[in-house]
Amino acid sequence: MAFISKSSCLLIFFFLVAAALPHLSSAYLKLPLLRKNPYPPAPSEALSADSRRVSALHRRRRHFHTKFPVTSAASSGSGQYLVSLHLGTPPQRLLLVADTGSDLTWVTCSACRRHCSSRGTFFPRHSTSFSPYHCFDSSCNLVPHPREHVQCNHTHLHSTCRYEYAYSDGSVTRGFFSHETTTFNSSSGDLVLFQHLSFGCGYNNSGPSVSGPSFNGANGVMGMGRGPISFFSQLGQEFGHKFSYCLMDYTISPPPTSYLLIGGAERYKLSYTPLLINPLSPTFYYIGIQTVFINNVKLRISSSVWGIDELGNGGTVVDSGTTLTFLTEPAYRIILAAFDRLVKLPKSVEQTLGFDLCFNVSNELRPSLPRLSFKLFGGSLFAPPPRNYFIDAADGVKCLALQSVAPSSGFSVIGNLMQQGYTFEFDKDRMRLGYSRRGCAVP
Ligand SMILES: *[C@@H]1O[C@H](CO)[C@@H](O)[C@H](O)[C@H]1NC(C)=O
Ligand SMILES: *[C@@H]1O[C@H](CO)[C@@H](O)[C@H](O)[C@H]1NC(C)=O
Ligand SMILES: *[C@@H]1O[C@H](CO)[C@@H](O)[C@H](O)[C@H]1NC(C)=O
Ligand SMILES: *[C@@H]1O[C@H](CO)[C@@H](O)[C@H](O)[C@H]1NC(C)=O
């Protein structure tokens, strides 16, 4: 509740430059999603992603009782989806990772004033509308602060609000919590100004998620989590508290253009599953897995392995910023064994790619692979095609793109590879996640 009352302090102004929106409830923002990084992830990256993830989960526990368990898997692999954002006056274009697993929106900032090279950095000194929050501002309470944060001096004019935001793999962004004007192309082609976007101006960003090769091409993160500072929560007030996206299917050539839609109504029938709340992790979108099937045969996995325990561990989150899918250990082993039993292809001689199960498909034109499906809370069936969980890890080698997590310290993640080719709609007011194989073409 404290979050909500604080978030109302973020005064949000919104208006159209060119035309008035007829009905805000039916209005939406349409932002094209791009995919910069090569697909599939290089085996070495997938491997390091796995080890990063493991250490990340340990780290997460330590943070558990802090006010903001600001953990995200902003990058557990190389495949990221990017959104373009125009920040400042005049607008500066930046590419941000669309991340449903974190809240803070931040950009790489530079204090450069003159003769600045303009690639991938926001220059606050080139913007007339940039303003850092004062540390005494109530908005400053919405972000985690660095440990060495000095006591806020009410009277000191230049005590800016410093933030430090950590991701689950240990990556950190540090800088000034600020606000700015941001500009979008609206669904009707008009320019939309959003005058008061709160974001992190990141001067000191380190770690693989925010500076390594998997961040390649990105200039920051657009936090789409459910917490009060997320981009979605800030704009949601104007757009009916829901957003949707379809992540492009890269096996289709040429890949269809897809969009991140904030607001807007679905145009086709969706299957729904409830969004669950974990009070200890207010950022994440949790869903519930009831049963797992392979080739329509129900696996013997106790439903209790998917639950969230009293310490807030476990559960399953939907994260657009994580590439691979992570499943809790007892379930993972059973699924792995079932695939091992059902796939009749020769094993790849190289099993060292960071995956537990790889097949040699060099002699197969169209290898037949078993179908994995999840029955979710509410009864709907999520049955993605095999290309969402088998990846071409090398020439003629297909690997099961699942990883395991320890149930006591981690949580399961439905990553973006598993989501591709589907439209997902996150509806905060109705507390549900909708999904459909349709809607991935132009909305
Ligand atoms: C706050 O800042 C003012 C002006 O710079 C200074 O005089 C005062 O000593 C500072 N107070 C504290 C508690 O640091
Ligand atoms: C809006 O769209 C036009 C044409 O599609 C493009 O040139 C322009 O950069 C876009 N502006 C913003 C702020 O996205
Ligand atoms: C960036 O943060 C690190 C701590 O991880 C610190 O050692 C370093 O001095 C900081 N750099 C700047 C320029 O503030
Ligand atoms: C796949 O099988 C072929 C023979 O059919 C073999 O030459 C090749 O080395 C195998 N590749 C791997 C990665 O196992």
Side-chain angles (χ1 to χ4, degrees):
M1 289 312 288
F3 290 151
I4 291 165
S5 63
K6 275 173 190 155
S7 73
S8 62
C9 300
L10 295 174
L11 291 176
I12 291 166
F13 299 100
F14 168 87
F15 64 89
L16 270 178
V17 172
L21 282 174
H23 300 290
L24 281 179
S25 58
S26 63
Y28 59 88
L29 276 183
K30 184 172 89 177
L31 309 172
L33 278 169
L34 323 160
R35 185 153 169 158
K36 264 293 185 63
N37 292 309
Y39 173 83
S44 59
E45 286 181 22
L47 179 64
S48 66
D50 186 29
S51 50
R52 268 189 265 146
R53 178 97 206 161
V54 172
S55 62
L57 294 169
H58 286 291
R59 193 182 155 84
R60 182 172 182 265
R61 266 177 87 89
R62 268 195 273 130
H63 285 292
F64 226 88
H65 296 288
T66 59
K67 194 166 163 197
F68 290 89
V70 280
T71 51
S72 157
S75 157
S76 287
S78 64
Q80 293 293 4
Y81 289 87
L82 305 178
V83 179
S84 140
L85 181 83
H86 290 75
L87 205 58
T89 314
Q92 300 177 36
R93 183 173 184 268
L94 298 155
L95 281 177
L96 307 186
V97 173
D99 187 17
T100 60
S102 65
D103 285 334
L104 182 71
T105 295
W106 64 271
V107 300
T108 307
C109 271
S110 162
C112 174
R113 193 188 299 272
R114 256 176 247 142
H115 311 299
C116 314
S117 86
S118 66
R119 292 196 72 89
T121 306
F122 178 64
F123 300 110
R125 285 176 169 164
H126 295 188
S127 170
T128 55
S129 47
F130 174 81
S131 178
Y133 285 109
H134 192 274
C135 61
F136 191 52
D137 193 303
S138 60
S139 295
C140 191
N141 296 333
L142 295 170
V143 286
H145 305 298
R147 216 166 289 141
E148 68 278 15
H149 194 55
V150 281
Q151 200 73 34
C152 182
N153 186 333
H154 301 189
T155 51
H156 203 290
L157 212 59
H158 299 291
S159 302
T160 46
C161 176
R162 292 171 65 203
Y163 77 89
E164 178 178 290
Y165 199 86
Y167 294 92
S168 60
D169 68 347
S171 299
V172 181
T173 167
R174 296 180 188 84
F176 301 115
F177 194 47
S178 313
H179 57 92
E180 240 315 357
T181 297
T182 177
T183 320
F184 307 97
N185 280 334
S186 80
S187 46
S188 51
D190 302 311
L191 269 194
V192 176
L193 267 189
F194 185 76
Q195 279 204 309
H196 209 275
L197 176 74
S198 297
F199 74 107
C201 194
Y203 284 102
N204 192 348
N205 315 308
S206 59
S209 282
V210 299
S211 58
S214 64
F215 205 57
N216 188 24
N219 318 130
V221 172
M222 179 182 281
M224 293 298 288
R226 60 193 300 164
I229 53 164
S230 89
F231 188 80
F232 165 59
S233 297
Q234 292 187 56
L235 271 74
Q237 309 207 358
E238 305 296 342
F239 293 99
H241 290 134
K242 64 183 179 183
F243 69 94
S244 59
Y245 58 68
C246 167
L247 304 179
M248 292 168 274
D249 184 339
Y250 270 74
T251 58
I252 295 175
S253 175
T257 308
S258 62
Y259 297 91
L260 172 66
L261 284 179
I262 301 180
E266 66 280 4
R267 250 152 276 225
Y268 27 80
K269 205 171 169 311
L270 300 175
S271 303
Y272 291 102
T273 189
L275 286 172
L276 312 178
I277 299 262
N278 178 354
L280 293 171
S281 281
T283 296
F284 297 133
Y285 298 98
Y286 285 88
I287 58 167
I289 294 176
Q290 225 159 45
T291 323
V292 182
F293 299 88
I294 295 186
N295 283 351
N296 300 322
V297 177
K298 180 177 168 177
L299 300 186
R300 294 173 63 113
I301 299 171
S302 157
S303 60
S304 66
V305 311
W306 302 110
I308 300 172
D309 69 20
E310 64 280 6
L311 292 173
N313 290 315
T316 305
V317 311
V318 180
D319 187 353
S320 67
T322 294
T323 302
L324 301 177
T325 287
F326 293 78
L327 298 175
T328 185
E329 181 60 35
Y332 174 78
R333 286 292 146 202
I334 294 166
I335 292 167
L336 188 68
F339 274 112
D340 199 3
R341 202 168 56 244
L342 287 166
V343 178
K344 300 298 181 206
L345 297 162
K347 295 268 173 60
S348 162
V349 291
E350 296 164 38
Q351 289 288 333
T352 54
L353 302 167
F355 297 106
D356 288 329
L357 195 58
C358 295
F359 298 100
N360 188 338
V361 293
S362 51
N363 293 328
E364 301 284 328
L365 266 178
R366 301 193 58 188
S368 141
L369 295 164
R371 192 72 180 250
L372 173 68
S373 49
F374 299 92
K375 189 173 178 201
L376 305 178
F377 282 14
S380 66
L381 193 72
F382 177 53
R387 62 173 169 271
N388 285 22
Y389 44 86
F390 276 100
I391 63 171
D392 298 312
D395 260 359
V397 177
K398 273 197 191 299
C399 295
L400 183 64
L402 302 177
Q403 306 275 300
S404 69
V405 287
S408 55
S409 58
F411 51 96
S412 300
V413 179
I414 304 296
N416 65 36
L417 186 68
M418 192 67 89
Q419 298 173 41
Q420 69 173 352
Y422 280 80
T423 295
F424 281 91
E425 183 192 80
F426 297 74
D427 188 334
K428 202 171 163 184
D429 285 346
R430 296 171 87 169
M431 291 287 294
R432 63 186 191 176
L433 175 72
Y435 59 95
S436 166
R437 298 261 1 222
R438 301 185 56 201
C440 282
V442 178

